[in-house]
């Protein structure tokens, strides 16, 4: 009984970690620009598929592959910002959000063109026996996923709350005009936020692929889950996406385990609706701050 | 042009969309002066400040600051030259703390080498605005209107400007607070040698602290002169100081 519960819990925490990373990706761009980047899930896919490409296809060493994958994701995010967001910077937010949807479709098309429709995987980061806790089996890779997520969270926290450039990024979202008047180069900050969030997504993809495999069209579902995580925690709140991501991951895994696996994907959406109906500011978003934001 | 001329605008035109908001406008600001721009709604006061600070492009004419043309520079470069613009309603970063707002004011001065420099400036600003020190950990959006205006001015001061462009610092504030803020502005000039270009609807209070003034109407300079002359001018009195001369 306990064994089964723990098993569900751990698998929930593992996927939850990726949702948390995607959710944070949403928050980064949202915090700098008030845009919801719906191509967020594609960066997780890019992370997984490019990592497969570098390790298993080109057969580069592990660390080099990770670096190249992150670089690729950053580059794609950079191009996305320069080619689609920058040229229309002065128009309205809703239009830009729609553009992110079209970017996600284009990216998916390109990924299918390059990788086909098959799922890809590569060996876990470390070989070794799974760990058993009260009979529940945890793969070592699951610990890697959670660990990598934890490190990313800490680094992002430091970036946004302790460094001036992180605060400047927040300031851009709040008021681009005032940000320019204190000397912040807003367009550079927007670009940086896209790169950062692309990289965060790719890191999630690199870590999760050995467990769940990756195929070209996983992006939208990941984006939806990550978005739910961000909303549940309170859009724009760093710790919100983390708590939201893990909560959704665990609930999803429990639902799949105890009720029916077909209901798995519905959980996140039901949570999203409930949050939007009853507490749109999310768990950590105060309604005062929610009123101060644009979207 | 004398040596202590700081800012010169010569035949400046600014279009705001299709509106010709500033028409061949010329003015100058000397070092250490407080210059008031007065005029009604739509006179082009805010547009003019935005053009000087680089938020808007001028369509023709030139803006010279310390004898350097600045009308093609973006806003984030102009602040580095020593011109800080406090926009209408302050535009503080509401979801950030008071202290973070002030730190961001010094954003362009920041580099890794002098990363602790700003602390001195912060203390100085706190000395000037003690209320901000009391509330340094509070979110800026939770401050009162007057405090937000002070924060906006303090944030601009963190950039160590030589010229401060102030847009309607009294907007929406109670008369007592307006008086307090204008007193601060005067003190900034007297004690810190700051030059101020002040835009105000509240013409009387602006002219009371100013050395000279320009009266703007529909994008043109209608009148200019020393602050006393403008205060005594019957047209100005009737149009902007609310005195009814017929009774």
């Amino acid at each position: 009984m306990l064994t089964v519960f723990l098993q569900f819990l751990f698998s929930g925490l593992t996927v939850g970690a990726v949702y948390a990373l995607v959710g944070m990706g949403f928050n980064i761009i949202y915090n700098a620009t008030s845009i919801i980047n719906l191509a967020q899930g594609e960066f997780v896919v890019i992370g997984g598929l490019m990592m497969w490409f570098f390790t298993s296809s080109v057969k580069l060493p592990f660390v080099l592959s990770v670096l190249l994958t992150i670089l690729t994701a950053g580059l794609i995010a950079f191009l996305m910002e320069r080619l689609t967001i920058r040229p229309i910077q002065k128009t309205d937010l809703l239009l830009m959000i729609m553009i992110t949807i079209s970017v996600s479709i284009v990216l998916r098309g390109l990924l299918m063109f390059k990788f086909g429709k098959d799922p890809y995987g590569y060996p876990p980061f470390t070989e070794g026996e799974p760990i058993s806790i009260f009979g529940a089996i945890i793969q070592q890779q699951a610990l890697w996923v959670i660990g990598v997520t934890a490190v990313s969270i800490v680094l992002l926290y430091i970036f946004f709350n302790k460094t001036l450039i992180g605060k400047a990024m927040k300031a851009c979202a709040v008021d681009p005009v005032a940000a320019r008047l204190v000397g912040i180069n807003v367009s550079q900050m927007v670009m940086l936020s896209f790169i950062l969030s692309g990289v965060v997504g790719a890191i999630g993809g690199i870590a999760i692929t050995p467990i769940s495999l990756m195929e070209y069209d996983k992006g939208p579902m990941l984006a939806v889950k990550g978005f739910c995580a961000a909303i549940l925690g309170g859009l724009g709140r760093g710790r919100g996406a983390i708590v939201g991501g893990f909560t959704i991951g665990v609930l999803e895994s429990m639902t799949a385990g105890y009720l029916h696996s077909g209901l798995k994907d519905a959980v996140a959406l039901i949570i999203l609706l409930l949050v939007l109906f009853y507490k749109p500011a999310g768990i950590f978003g105060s309604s005062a701050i929610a009123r101060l934001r644009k979207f | 042009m004398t040596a202590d001329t700081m800012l010169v605008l010569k035949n400046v035109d600014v279009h705001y969309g299709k509106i010709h908001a500033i028409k061949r406008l010329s003015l100058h600001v000397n070092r250490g002066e407080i210059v008031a721009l007065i005029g009604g709604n739509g006179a082009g006061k805010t547009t003019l400040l935005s053009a000087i600070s680089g938020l808007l492009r001028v369509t023709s004419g030139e803006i010279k600051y310390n004898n350097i043309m600045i009308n093609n520079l973006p806003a984030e470069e102009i602040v580095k030259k020593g011109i800080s613009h406090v926009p209408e309603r302050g535009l503080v970063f509401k979801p950030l703390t008071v202290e973070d707002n002030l730190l961001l004011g010094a954003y362009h001065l920041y580099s890794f080498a002098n990363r602790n420099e700003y602390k001195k400036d912060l203390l100085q600003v706190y000395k000037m605005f003690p209320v901000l020190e009391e509330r340094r950990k509070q979110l800026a959006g939770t401050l009162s209107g007057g405090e937000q205006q002070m924060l906006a001015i303090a944030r601009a001061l963190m950039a160590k400007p030589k010229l401060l462009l102030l847009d309607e610092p009294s907007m929406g504030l109670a008369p007592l607070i307006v008086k307090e803020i204008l007193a601060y502005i005067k003190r900034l000039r007297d004690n810190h040698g700051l030059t101020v270009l002040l835009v105000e609807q509240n013409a009387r209070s602006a002219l009371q602290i100013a050395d000279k003034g320009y009266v703007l109407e529909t994008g043109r300079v209608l009148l200019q002169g020393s602050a006393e002359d403008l205060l005594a001018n019957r047209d100005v009195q009737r149009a902007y100081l609310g005195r009814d001369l017929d009774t």
Side-chain angles (χ1 to χ4, degrees):
Chain A
M1 189 57 211
L2 177 69
T3 307
V4 177
F5 176 80
L6 281 176
Q7 193 68 61
F8 292 152
L9 182 69
F10 286 126
S11 69
L13 288 176
T14 313
V15 274
V18 177
Y19 297 162
L21 283 175
V22 178
M24 281 193 293
F26 275 111
N27 283 344
I28 292 166
I29 291 182
Y30 175 79
N31 275 340
T33 62
S34 297
I35 300 174
I36 314 278
N37 174 23
L38 291 166
Q40 198 59 52
E42 268 62 38
F43 285 94
V44 180
V45 179
I46 287 169
L49 292 183
M50 289 315 289
M51 184 68 187
W52 171 84
F53 176 73
F54 288 123
T55 49
S56 303
S57 181
V58 190
K59 301 215 185 303
L60 293 174
F62 176 76
V63 177
L64 187 62
S65 303
V66 170
L67 289 177
L68 283 174
T69 306
I70 288 176
L71 203 69
T72 313
L75 189 69
I76 294 171
F78 165 79
L79 289 175
M80 171 182 177
E81 196 273 333
R82 287 287 116 155
L83 298 179
T84 67
I85 301 296
R86 183 98 189 271
I88 50 147
Q89 226 166 29
K90 289 200 171 93
T91 45
D92 67 323
L93 280 172
L94 202 57
L95 179 63
M96 293 205 259
I97 292 169
M98 284 193 277
I99 281 175
T100 68
I101 300 180
S102 42
V103 170
S104 90
I105 295 169
V106 171
L107 283 177
R108 226 174 303 146
L110 291 174
L111 286 168
M112 189 183 76
F113 191 68
K114 173 83 183 76
F115 292 96
K117 295 186 175 178
D118 301 326
Y120 289 87
Y122 41 85
F125 296 177
T126 48
E127 300 292 341
E129 288 300 301
I131 299 156
S132 164
I133 298 177
F134 297 109
I137 305 297
I138 312 167
Q139 299 175 45
Q140 287 196 4
Q141 186 63 24
L143 297 179
W144 273 108
V145 173
I146 293 170
V148 164
T149 306
V151 172
S152 309
I153 289 168
V154 171
L155 290 179
L156 285 174
Y157 177 82
I158 293 171
F159 177 74
F160 277 107
N161 293 290
K162 304 290 173 206
T163 69
L164 192 65
I165 196 164
K167 288 172 186 171
M169 223 172 193
K170 276 193 200 166
C172 287
V174 179
D175 199 317
V177 171
R180 292 185 65 196
L181 288 178
V182 297
I184 299 170
N185 188 332
V186 175
S187 127
Q188 242 169 44
M189 287 294 155
V190 170
M191 182 187 85
L192 192 59
S193 75
F194 270 83
I195 294 176
L196 202 58
S197 104
V199 166
V200 168
I203 289 173
I206 294 172
I208 194 78
T209 301
I211 298 180
S212 67
L213 304 183
M214 194 58 78
E215 61 249 36
Y216 80 103
D217 64 349
K218 262 201 172 153
M221 204 36 114
L222 282 166
V224 167
K225 305 282 175 64
F227 183 63
C228 295
I231 293 283
L232 173 60
L235 196 55
R237 309 288 294 177
R239 60 190 160 153
I242 300 158
V243 174
F246 283 112
T247 310
I248 288 175
V250 170
L251 284 178
E252 210 179 83
S253 145
M254 295 292 170
T255 312
Y258 287 115
L259 293 174
H260 192 283
S261 59
L263 289 174
K264 195 181 93 170
D265 291 334
V267 173
L269 293 165
I270 291 169
I271 292 175
L272 178 64
L273 289 178
L274 290 178
V275 171
L276 290 178
F277 286 156
Y278 297 108
K279 200 172 185 309
I283 301 172
F284 295 107
S286 72
S287 46
I289 290 177
R291 254 181 281 121
L292 295 177
R293 69 191 188 203
K294 295 186 211 158
F295 229 94
Chain B
M1 190 199 298
T2 52
D4 59 350
T5 307
M6 192 171 221
L7 182 76
V8 180
L9 274 70
K10 207 187 264 172
N11 294 333
V12 169
D13 280 284
V14 182
H15 288 79
Y16 199 80
K18 281 190 176 155
I19 301 160
H20 195 175
I22 300 285
K23 295 162 194 152
R24 299 188 71 71
L25 186 144
S26 300
L27 62 76
H28 67 277
V29 178
N30 292 333
R31 208 174 302 280
E33 267 184 337
I34 297 179
V35 176
L37 287 176
I38 57 180
N41 276 332
K45 299 170 301 197
T46 298
T47 310
L48 187 61
L49 286 196
S50 303
I52 297 171
S53 68
L55 290 175
L56 292 174
R57 297 269 82 121
V58 301
T59 27
S60 67
E62 56 186 47
I63 302 176
K64 275 188 172 169
Y65 169 71
N66 287 340
N67 263 327
I68 302 165
M69 282 265 279
I70 58 165
N71 43 339
N72 289 317
L73 295 178
E76 52 268 29
E77 293 300 321
I78 285 178
V79 63
K80 290 181 193 163
K81 301 243 175 257
I83 303 180
S84 275
H85 178 182
V86 180
E88 218 171 333
R89 284 170 283 118
L91 303 186
V92 296
F93 302 121
K94 289 181 179 179
L96 271 64
T97 64
V98 168
E99 188 150 309
D100 283 349
N101 267 273
L102 292 173
L103 290 185
L104 286 170
Y107 180 79
H108 77 90
L109 299 172
Y110 183 88
S111 73
F112 193 72
N114 60 9
R115 59 192 175 282
N116 290 318
E117 278 284 293
Y118 68 85
K119 284 182 181 148
K120 264 184 281 162
D121 302 334
L122 202 60
L123 286 180
Q124 208 181 359
V125 164
Y126 280 149
K127 217 158 73 190
M128 235 183 293
F129 302 96
V131 63
L132 296 182
E133 184 164 24
E134 278 165 41
R135 296 173 193 263
R136 48 193 280 258
K137 293 286 167 215
Q138 246 173 279
L139 296 185
T142 63
L143 300 183
S144 72
E147 288 162 350
Q148 285 190 23
Q149 191 62 54
M150 282 183 205
L151 177 59
I153 295 173
R155 183 181 65 188
L157 292 179
M158 287 293 289
K160 296 191 176 168
K162 306 281 182 296
L163 171 64
L164 195 62
L165 310 174
L166 276 171
D167 198 351
E168 304 263 358
S170 72
M171 184 183 253
L173 301 180
L176 255 175
I177 297 170
V178 172
K179 229 175 159 180
E180 196 182 334
I181 284 182
L182 290 175
Y184 270 122
I185 294 165
K186 197 161 160 46
R187 225 173 302 155
L188 286 174
R189 194 271 306 267
D190 296 344
N191 302 345
H192 300 267
L194 211 62
T195 309
V196 181
L197 182 56
L198 172 68
V199 157
E200 262 297 343
Q201 295 251 5
N202 191 339
R204 187 188 303 278
S205 359
L207 287 173
Q208 272 164 2
I209 64 160
D211 301 301
K212 68 176 189 210
Y214 289 86
V215 178
L216 262 59
E217 212 168 85
T218 58
R220 290 196 175 86
V221 174
L222 196 68
L223 268 174
Q224 53 179 309
S226 72
E228 300 90 64
D229 288 352
L230 288 179
L231 275 171
N233 183 302
R234 290 170 72 86
D235 289 334
V236 174
Q237 285 181 349
R238 188 170 49 232
Y240 302 107
L241 302 179
R243 175 172 296 173
D244 193 348
L245 295 170
D246 295 332
T247 55

